[in-house]
Amino acid sequence: QHVSLDIQDHMGRYEVDEHDEKELVKVPTREGGCRFEGHFWVRNQKGNFHFTPRGVKNMNETITHAIHELKFGEVLDEEFYEDIPTDSYTSLESAERDNRAGMTHDYLVKLVRTEIWDDEEADHHYPYQYTYSHRRFVGHHNGKPLPPRIFFRLDFSPLTMKFSRIHEPLWSFLSFHVALLGGTFAVTKMAYDSFHVARHVAQGGKFL
């Protein structure tokens, strides 16, 4: 059977399996299913994309699936994720769902636009962080069951989160630690002198 990727927005625009085959490919698996790899475009507004099995006659089919990776917005190099929290950019990574026959999966995805300023590159990057909730149900239309599908319903937050990656120069790093070391010695000497003065006064000594 054929599985299509369909995209729909809240304005009613609907695209049925119209993605660029060079950007998104379907790879058959040994288990008889298929794996989607690549990227595709959705509008920056409320809507959904979903996977639909075509030509299904038995409405009791299952739509077991695994999400290996799902990211939104600009794809960043791995080095970026060393300095910022990563879980919120790949919340659905490694998710796997198995269910009863005929059940549709519904992922409710809340996206937050993120702006990352890279001081070294003097450039901005715009990935999206997201959270999600999941539910499953049996769909019906006019009293008849619908084939199982996988929905990702997108809702964009009006907020924008901003991060800055500041690359500290070597001379700044060295001067900071030298100053820190010097300050440590100064405080130690002050404490040492204060202790001896206090002991001298306690023993009845006088200072001129």
Side-chain angles (χ1 to χ4, degrees):
Q1 66 189 26
H2 175 66
V3 177
S4 70
L5 169 62
D6 308 330
I7 303 173
Q8 183 179 17
D9 64 28
H10 76 293
M11 300 296 291
R13 287 174 288 212
Y14 200 85
E15 300 175 8
V16 179
D17 222 20
E18 294 183 3
H19 53 81
D20 189 333
E21 293 184 357
K22 294 181 180 179
E23 296 180 349
L24 185 69
V25 297
K26 286 178 282 189
V27 181
T29 64
R30 288 179 297 179
E31 294 80 8
C34 64
R35 175 172 175 166
F36 285 78
E37 298 178 350
H39 64 273
F40 58 94
W41 299 91
V42 295
R43 294 180 176 87
N44 189 4
Q45 56 185 260
K46 199 169 185 177
N48 73 80
F49 63 91
H50 54 273
F51 296 91
T52 305
R54 302 293 176 182
V56 175
K57 296 181 179 179
N58 183 6
M59 299 305 170
N60 290 322
E61 293 282 350
T62 62
I63 192 160
T64 300
H65 60 282
I67 302 173
H68 299 278
E69 185 179 59
L70 180 62
K71 295 179 181 178
F72 295 90
E74 183 177 349
V75 178
L76 303 178
D77 295 333
E78 290 300 323
E79 64 180 64
F80 277 88
Y81 296 109
E82 296 175 0
D83 302 326
I84 58 178
T86 59
D87 293 345
S88 56
Y89 296 89
T90 57
S91 299
L92 276 166
E93 186 173 326
S94 302
E96 187 170 353
R97 308 290 182 187
D98 194 359
N99 64 315
R100 299 190 301 272
M103 300 290 285
T104 286
H105 290 271
D106 206 11
Y107 294 94
L108 310 176
V109 183
K110 184 74 172 183
L111 297 114
V112 179
R113 186 173 184 264
T114 306
E115 177 183 342
I116 300 176
W117 164 255
D118 190 292
D119 180 64
E120 187 176 54
E121 297 181 1
D123 196 10
H124 291 84
H125 301 277
Y126 299 96
Y128 278 81
Q129 301 182 64
Y130 68 93
T131 58
Y132 78 95
S133 59
H134 172 261
R135 62 183 179 180
R136 61 186 77 186
F137 59 89
V138 177
H140 289 82
H141 181 68
N142 292 332
K144 297 181 180 180
L146 293 172
R149 291 174 289 177
I150 307 171
F151 276 90
F152 295 86
R153 304 185 189 275
L154 310 181
D155 186 14
F156 291 86
S157 170
L159 303 177
T160 298
M161 296 189 66
K162 295 185 178 182
F163 294 93
S164 296
R165 296 183 75 225
I166 306 298
H167 302 266
E168 187 177 28
L170 179 60
W171 64 266
S172 178
F173 174 82
L174 292 177
S175 62
F176 171 78
H177 285 82
V178 168
L180 183 63
L181 187 61
T184 302
F185 278 114
V187 171
T188 302
K189 187 177 185 305
M190 186 183 302
Y192 179 80
D193 292 342
S194 299
F195 170 77
H196 280 279
V197 169
R199 187 174 66 174
H200 185 71
V201 171
Q203 292 175 353
K206 295 182 179 181
F207 291 91
L208 299 178

